Amino acid sequence: SGELVAIAMKAMATDPSERHANVRALQTDVSQYQEHAESLDLAHKGGEELLRARKSAEYELYAQAVAAYQNSLRLWSGNKHAQTGLREARLAYASCAYERGDLDLASSLLDHGDESHAKLAERVEAARWKRAKRHRLVAVLRGAVLGVAAVLLVVLITAFLWIRAERERAVQERRKAEA
């Protein structure tokens, strides 16, 4: 991995001032690498999952990439590759969700304090606002349609009762006239 190569390059540097101060310093770097190896492996796995997710646009693969990076950071919070990968995976996952219209999912994945997420966060919030506006309009229209239907029903019932009453009155007057 890149970290192990960096340790080896430092150990083999031609300029003595760029090398480890002593064998103990080299051993410390190698020991730290070994301690962080699992975290680095998980971060690498996260990168592979993210590549697969970008190709397939499958939510599950994005979720696996995010989880791999998060687990990597649980093991070693200083893992820069995992930090960057998590930020990129969440942004890519949110972008995929946004494209599919899953605005709440997209918003939940974005880090609103991260500049690299800011543009998408603005687009997601604008889309959520438009969606809420449409829902309010639909609710108002639904209420208006129900109101018109209720008025129409009252008018029809009233007309039916009035016509029936007039018919009965006409029948009674005809009976009186015939008698």
Side-chain angles (χ1 to χ4, degrees), residues 22-155:
N22 52 41
V23 174
R24 174 60 70 201
L26 174 60
Q27 287 175 329
T28 300
D29 279 355
V30 171
S31 293
Q32 284 180 341
Y33 170 77
Q34 288 173 333
E35 288 175 14
H36 301 311
E38 187 176 355
S39 175
L40 294 168
D41 286 344
L42 281 170
H44 180 73
K45 181 182 179 223
E48 290 173 348
E49 293 296 328
L50 181 55
L51 286 174
R52 288 179 50 216
R54 283 181 168 147
K55 288 179 184 175
S56 69
E58 290 182 35
Y59 282 176
E60 183 177 341
L61 294 176
Y62 281 113
Q64 289 173 1
V66 168
Y69 285 126
Q70 287 172 333
N71 289 333
S72 174
L73 289 168
R74 278 190 198 97
L75 293 173
W76 177 31
S77 62
N79 187 335
K80 300 292 184 198
H81 177 66
Q83 291 169 358
T84 302
L86 179 60
R87 191 169 40 255
E88 289 175 6
R90 291 174 72 97
L91 180 60
Y93 192 179
S95 182
C96 181
Y98 172 76
E99 294 299 323
R100 290 184 178 185
D102 292 340
L103 303 177
D104 296 329
L105 174 60
S107 181
S108 73
L109 290 164
L110 293 171
D111 179 353
H112 296 276
D114 186 335
E115 275 188 42
S116 65
H117 291 201
K119 286 183 182 181
L120 182 58
E122 287 175 18
R123 291 195 330 251
V124 168
E125 290 310 311
R128 289 176 79 193
W129 183 83
K130 285 179 185 177
R131 180 184 65 187
K133 187 176 175 181
R134 278 194 311 270
H135 284 268
R136 287 190 300 271
L137 179 61
V138 166
V140 167
L141 290 175
R142 186 178 295 135
V145 166
L146 287 174
V148 168
V151 168
L152 184 59
L153 184 62
V154 167
V155 167

